[in-house]
Every structure is written in structure tokens, then in C-alpha cells.
Amino acid sequence: MWKAPPRRAAGTRRTAAHLATSQWHKFYRSTVGAPAAVLFELLSDMPNYGRWLPGSSQFASTTDVEPYPVQLGSRYHDGRPSEPGKDWWGTVIGFQPPGSLDFHHTIQVSQLKATVGVHIHYSFERDDRGTQVTRWLVLDITMPILFRPLRRLIIRSFDDGNVRTIAAVKKYADAHPGHDARELRGVPETR
């Protein structure tokens, strides 16, 4: 027997019809003069990014990493954790040292009423000049159709942040040739 769908309360609207979802992705590559294990360690040691990644308007630090040291399933508080509305929570969804590392987090862009699902995949491959670092960024953006022309602002912000991150890790690792991952983090070597 057919049943009519439930009636919505007066004054409510279906918002899903007013939202658009799109996906955007880009690869960022750099050859770094450090072993893959060192780069994996730098990028997986999230609470210590401040040693090599200067803060920006979007990123200040990563805190509340549990469990730590970082591993598959670790959760983290990212962005600007001390500023409500400028922070987000994420999860390590791939962890294969020293070859690849994956993160996923969801960011609310309140000014544009947008939700951005962020997937970051790192791969580390040895080549003749060091290690080829590839960062693959995938964005799933859901926002009101009305604001869709402003999608480029979201993409530009993420693009700038990814270029900055790859450049910073390269600069730091290249400036410390021959060091192992523990030394780059400032942890004394135990021999």
C-alpha cells in the first residue's frame, strides 16, 4: 500500500536541492634530498610541524593527536585549534611507512555555507636525486548553488596551502642532509 511522504512543517524547505557538490584534485610534486623514511617521519609527526612549517592564516598547529606517535586511525585537531570556527578534526586513514601516508578531515567554511571534505595522500619514492614526494589533494566541496561561483576562492586557499607545505618540507629536509628522522625532529639519537 502506497503511503504519502510525511509533510514538512510550515516554513521549512528542502535544502539539499539548493546544494551543489563538486570534486577537485591536484598533484604537488617535489624532489627532496632526504630519504623517504625521514620525509615520512616529518610528515607523520603532526604535533611537531611547527619545526618546519611556519604558521599561516589557515594553519597554526596540529594538536590533540591520539594515539601518538601517529599511526593508522590517529585523530587530530588541526587548522587553528585555539580559534573556534577556524579548526577541524581529522583522521589518519593510511599509514604505510616509509611509502605513503593519508589524512582525511572535513572543514566547514561558514562564510560560504560550504563543507569541504579533504583527502591528502602522500607518496615517497626514491629517485636519482633523492626522494620524489607527491602530495595528492582531493577536495569534495558541497555548497549552495548560489555561492558556486565562489568555489574558486576555496580551491585557491587550499592550493596555496599545499604549495606552501611542499616547499617548506623540501626546504627543511634539504637544509639537513644526512640526518635521520629522529635528528630532524630534535630527538637525541640513542646508540
Side-chain angles (χ1 to χ4, degrees), residues 25-169:
H25 71 97
K26 185 173 179 179
F27 288 95
Y28 304 84
R29 290 190 173 96
S30 184
T31 299
V32 180
V38 169
L39 295 164
F40 184 93
E41 183 70 25
L42 280 173
L43 290 162
S44 66
D45 190 22
M46 298 162 65
N48 292 305
Y49 275 17
R51 293 183 54 80
W52 58 269
L53 182 62
S56 71
S57 60
Q58 289 86 25
F59 176 82
S61 64
T62 303
T63 62
D64 305 312
V65 178
E66 283 293 325
Y68 182 79
V70 172
Q71 57 191 276
L72 183 64
S74 288
R75 300 255 311 137
Y76 56 90
H77 197 189
D78 213 359
R80 301 189 76 75
S82 63
E83 299 177 42
K86 294 185 179 183
D87 63 326
W88 55 85
W89 286 91
T91 305
V92 175
I93 60 171
F95 191 86
Q96 296 181 340
S100 65
L101 183 62
D102 291 81
F103 304 101
H104 183 268
H105 45 266
T106 302
I107 299 174
Q108 301 298 321
V109 183
S110 58
Q111 306 91 321
L112 300 177
K113 299 181 180 169
T115 301
V116 183
V118 181
H119 181 145
I120 298 167
H121 170 80
Y122 281 103
S123 66
F124 309 96
E125 297 178 33
R126 187 178 171 105
D127 73 13
D128 294 342
R129 298 171 291 151
T131 301
Q132 178 74 35
V133 178
T134 303
R135 179 173 165 135
W136 182 23
L137 171 68
V138 179
L139 303 177
D140 290 304
I141 304 169
T142 302
M143 62 192 311
I145 292 171
L146 178 66
F147 294 143
R148 176 111 162 108
L150 300 175
R151 174 180 173 264
R152 63 184 165 76
L153 298 174
I154 294 172
I155 291 170
R156 183 174 36 213
S157 176
F158 279 95
D159 191 39
D160 291 348
N162 280 267
V163 167
R164 185 177 77 83
T165 300
I166 287 289
V169 78

